[in-house]
Amino acid sequence: MSLASTSKDSALRPAAQRTPGAIVLIALAWVIFAVVLVLPLYIVITQGLQRGLGVFWEAISEPDAISALKLTLIATAISVPLNLVFGLAAAWSVTKFEFRGKSILITLIDMPFSVSPVVAGLIYVLLFGAQSKLAPFLQDHDLQIVYAVPGIVLATIFVTFPFVARELIPLMEEQGTQEEEAARLLGANGWQMFWHVTLPNVKWALVYGVVLCTARAMGEFGAVSVVSGHIRGYTNTLPLHIEILYNEYNMVAAFSVAILLLAMALVVLLLRQWSEARLARALESQHDE
């Protein structure tokens, strides 16, 4: 028997030996997937398009929807690059250096995972709102944080902070510091080590973290809802605009805007799959070496 046929038989054997229990579990997984994910998406798309493309286009192109789209993109465009810098700095500090308070820093990185987004938004209201100790200073300098774009950006940064760092830390811990130490022995300074050694080794994990951060930033609702004030056409992001349309019983418009947000999420999902595949190939090549 040839090696190719042996490999083929071994690849087919697990499928042929599936037990009834395994088949039931696989079928149950597909049923849950269809009910929980596919069916809601089907309802969103059909409800948004039930009156035709003309009504759909009118719903997503009216001024409030355009304003919500712009604000969503602005908050994402500001928060994601900042979290990229923060995540790189935090991951590099945690994995490449030993210092007092390291465990506290790791805990703080994970904090947004455990804190409710609504609580996060409330924190910013208490810090920068009209009843806070900073309120007189903000009023004297004509600075508006909450119920304005800066508060939305701050809330988005908070809830998306861990994604980049959490993708980088395990990979950088696995890689160790040998390559950086070798580069230092060859005369490289800190920036040279970062640009020519550290960054090339983590670039696909970095891209993957940025994609996850982008997806969360675009869809964030809880924290942004608290700090936005729901000022229509000014502080509403796409998720908040969808909520307002739904509360007004404007179902077609709500689902139409939801389709727009869904399309943006689909683009991010495709980028996630691409970056995940590149990361897997990069890790495989590193292990082979």
Side-chain angles (χ1 to χ4, degrees):
M1 182 180 293
S2 66
L3 181 60
S5 61
T6 303
S7 301
K8 183 177 180 180
D9 292 340
S10 63
L12 294 175
R13 195 175 298 124
Q17 294 179 350
R18 287 187 185 134
T19 63
I23 295 174
V24 171
L25 287 176
I26 294 171
L28 181 62
W30 276 108
V31 170
I32 294 174
F33 172 78
V35 172
V36 174
L37 185 62
V38 176
L39 182 60
L41 293 180
Y42 172 77
I43 293 174
V44 169
I45 294 173
T46 54
Q47 289 293 320
L49 298 176
Q50 66 175 343
R51 294 187 184 176
L53 291 176
V55 175
F56 167 78
W57 178 254
E58 182 180 351
I60 65 173
S61 60
E62 57 99 11
D64 288 343
I66 296 297
S67 175
L69 174 61
K70 288 181 179 178
L71 183 55
T72 301
L73 295 178
I74 288 172
T76 302
I78 296 174
S79 61
V80 171
L82 288 177
N83 276 327
L84 186 153
V85 175
F86 296 158
L88 265 175
W92 200 10
S93 300
V94 167
T95 59
K96 305 300 181 182
F97 304 102
E98 293 295 332
F99 54 92
R100 186 175 299 177
K102 181 177 177 178
S103 59
I104 298 176
L105 177 59
I106 295 175
T107 302
L108 292 176
I109 291 173
D110 292 334
M111 184 181 294
F113 284 141
S114 57
V115 175
S116 167
V118 174
V119 174
L122 182 61
I123 291 172
Y124 287 110
V125 173
L126 295 176
L127 280 175
F128 303 111
Q131 306 302 320
S132 69
K133 293 183 178 180
L134 293 175
F137 173 83
L138 296 175
Q139 292 174 0
D140 292 341
H141 292 81
D142 196 24
L143 297 175
Q144 183 75 22
I145 304 298
V146 297
Y147 312 134
V149 175
I152 293 172
V153 172
L154 286 174
T156 305
I157 290 173
F158 180 89
V159 298
T160 57
F161 176 78
F163 288 96
V164 174
R166 268 298 156 201
E167 288 301 320
L168 293 177
I169 289 175
L171 178 60
M172 294 175 76
E173 285 179 339
E174 181 182 356
Q175 291 173 347
T177 60
Q178 292 85 356
E179 293 187 17
E180 284 84 356
E181 292 171 356
R184 183 177 292 277
L185 290 175
L186 293 174
N189 58 36
W191 280 110
Q192 288 173 329
M193 286 190 298
F194 173 75
W195 286 110
H196 299 290
V197 178
T198 304
L199 188 58
N201 287 337
V202 301
K203 62 181 179 181
W204 294 118
L206 181 62
V207 171
Y208 186 60
V210 167
V211 170
L212 292 178
C213 185
T214 302
R216 179 61 189 275
M218 290 193 307
E220 175 55 30
F221 178 84
V224 172
S225 177
V226 175
V227 301
S228 71
H230 292 271
I231 304 173
R232 197 163 188 164
Y234 180 60
T235 63
N236 275 340
T237 59
L238 281 178
L240 301 183
H241 185 59
I242 292 170
E243 182 200 27
I244 287 179
L245 292 173
Y246 184 82
N247 289 337
E248 293 176 347
Y249 301 100
N250 192 350
M251 300 301 181
V252 175
F255 283 114
S256 297
V257 178
I259 292 175
L260 175 61
L261 189 59
L262 177 63
M264 295 166 61
L266 179 61
V267 172
V268 174
L269 178 62
L270 294 175
L271 289 174
R272 175 184 178 273
Q273 295 294 330
W274 172 77
S275 60
E276 189 175 25
R278 295 299 298 264
L279 175 60
R281 285 198 292 268
L283 291 175
E284 185 178 352
S285 64
Q286 288 179 6
H287 287 306
D288 291 341
E289 292 174 359

